[in-house]
Amino acid sequence: MLAGTQLTAMLFGLALAFAGGALHIPDNTHEDDTADITLDALPELPDWAHAPLPDFTGYQDTAEKKAAFFSYLYPRIVLANTRILMLRDKLDYAATLETLDEPEAQWLERQADRLRVDAETGSAEQFEMLKRRLDVLPPSLVMAQAANESAWGTSRFAREGNNLFGQWCFSKGCGLVPLARADGASHEVAAFESPYASIRAYITNINRHDTYRAVRNERELAREEGRFPDGNELARGLIGYSERGAAYVKEIQAMIRHNNLGYYDREFRELIGKDTGIPALMQLATGEESRFETSGIARKEG
């Protein structure tokens, strides 16, 4: 994605700060989306990204509830993925430099720390590992897990904490205490400023936690073969996401197939194209929510 490298270079001096969290797999920290990823050179989030979760409890028709849920999620997934693609472009630019200046080196160090990459700054190993972890997730996978973990946006943790994926946190007061928490346990279910922040934290966790290495490997293989990552295939790497293991994976895959969520993967692939550079991505990252509207709930084809 070198088409935007000139603009990327001009933007190296900008710095914003955001953060990602942890999921079911216990972790010793939780950072919310306002302190995570050092999203240097990225614009401020559009106002609609901060919108609260709609009330999905009032729907009587299941198809209508699903349509509303997916229509709300899709723009936020596109936004999160678009910002990741901008960072990948910046990573590509840094890899072309013969010598890293201090700002570039510091940026790489921050990304390595955030994504838990232990390698010498500016080394080929660091660039390779960052490229593997700094990548998008197919909307189908994100949507299926959000629907499963949040009961289609109606769970207590979704309604009170904007938490769509069951992310945990481990400092007192960082979230909501589970009603059925085991004696001696200290974790809470993280609370987020917005559902978008929950999505961003979820993607960060999948991108950096050792438990989801298989997801990243499958994604990298797809890129090497010139394919857009398939949510159904990537779901195989989620066996450690739930204590239900393989049964959980099969459930997520069934949700992707039954709801034809591959439709949203195709929409996203067509939206970003194959050679989108920073200028076009910048337009997506700052556009109105209506720009990401699809033709509605995915329909069965054939």
Side-chain angles (χ1 to χ4, degrees):
M1 199 180 296
L2 295 178
T5 54
Q6 183 176 2
L7 180 57
T8 305
M10 294 169 59
L11 294 172
F12 251 121
L14 301 178
L16 300 172
F18 292 80
L23 301 187
H24 292 288
I25 301 301
D27 205 344
N28 61 2
T29 62
H30 163 71
E31 307 126 306
D32 65 34
D33 194 59
T34 60
D36 165 35
I37 171 177
T38 307
L39 293 178
D40 309 66
L42 296 191
E44 292 185 7
L45 287 170
D47 289 342
W48 59 264
H50 303 288
L53 189 72
D55 182 5
F56 294 109
T57 62
Y59 287 91
Q60 299 300 316
D61 184 85
T62 300
E64 289 183 2
K65 179 168 69 173
K66 287 183 177 183
F69 186 72
F70 293 144
S71 294
Y72 177 82
L73 280 185
Y74 178 69
R76 287 152 181 81
I77 296 169
V78 172
L79 179 62
N81 276 340
T82 297
R83 293 167 76 86
I84 289 173
L85 289 174
M86 293 175 75
L87 291 176
R88 277 181 69 88
D89 190 280
K90 182 169 181 175
L91 184 65
D92 285 341
Y93 166 77
T96 67
L97 300 176
E98 294 185 6
T99 303
L100 290 174
D101 291 335
E102 190 64 19
E104 288 90 345
Q106 291 178 357
W107 183 85
L108 285 171
E109 289 171 359
R110 291 193 295 270
Q111 298 306 310
D113 181 65
R114 180 180 69 84
L115 293 171
R116 299 176 183 171
V117 169
D118 185 13
E120 182 181 354
T121 300
S123 65
E125 180 186 11
Q126 186 188 56
F127 279 113
E128 180 182 355
M129 294 178 69
L130 282 174
K131 196 71 175 287
R132 187 177 300 133
R133 297 190 180 200
L134 189 58
D135 206 347
V136 303
L137 289 178
S140 62
L141 184 68
V142 184
M143 288 176 162
Q145 283 206 270
N148 185 283
E149 296 292 336
S150 72
W152 300 92
T154 65
S155 72
R156 173 195 168 211
F157 301 124
R159 290 182 290 106
E160 298 180 18
N162 290 315
N163 191 329
L164 301 175
F165 303 93
Q167 293 110 313
W168 287 4
C169 58
F170 296 87
S171 58
K172 188 173 182 179
C174 62
L176 305 171
V177 177
L179 300 179
R181 187 173 68 178
D183 292 341
S186 61
H187 72 277
E188 298 181 12
V189 178
F192 293 94
E193 179 268 337
S194 66
Y196 171 81
S198 174
I199 292 170
R200 188 66 194 88
Y202 156 83
I203 294 175
T204 297
N205 195 78
I206 296 295
N207 279 344
R208 73 182 182 183
H209 206 292
D210 286 343
T211 301
Y212 311 117
R213 184 178 300 173
V215 174
R216 299 190 292 271
N217 289 344
E218 187 69 44
R219 180 177 61 189
E220 183 180 26
L221 177 61
R223 275 196 175 274
E224 291 175 349
E225 295 178 349
R227 298 184 288 110
F228 184 78
D230 180 271
N232 195 59
E233 294 177 354
L234 265 60
R236 293 196 293 258
L238 295 175
I239 197 164
Y241 197 95
S242 166
E243 61 184 10
R244 295 173 56 218
Y248 178 80
V249 169
K250 290 180 179 179
E251 187 170 306
I252 295 300
Q253 291 176 321
M255 292 182 73
I256 292 174
R257 293 192 301 270
H258 179 72
N259 295 286
N260 194 27
L261 297 182
Y263 163 85
Y264 293 98
D265 292 349
R266 294 188 293 275
E267 288 283 312
F268 177 64
R269 184 172 62 248
E270 292 175 6
L271 183 66
I272 62 171
K274 292 184 178 180
D275 301 309
T276 303
I278 284 289
L281 290 173
M282 185 74 78
Q283 291 182 2
L284 290 176
T286 57
E288 296 296 325
E289 182 178 3
S290 58
R291 180 166 187 175
F292 307 116
E293 289 180 356
T294 65
S295 57
I297 190 170
R299 303 293 183 184
K300 290 289 185 180
E301 298 179 353

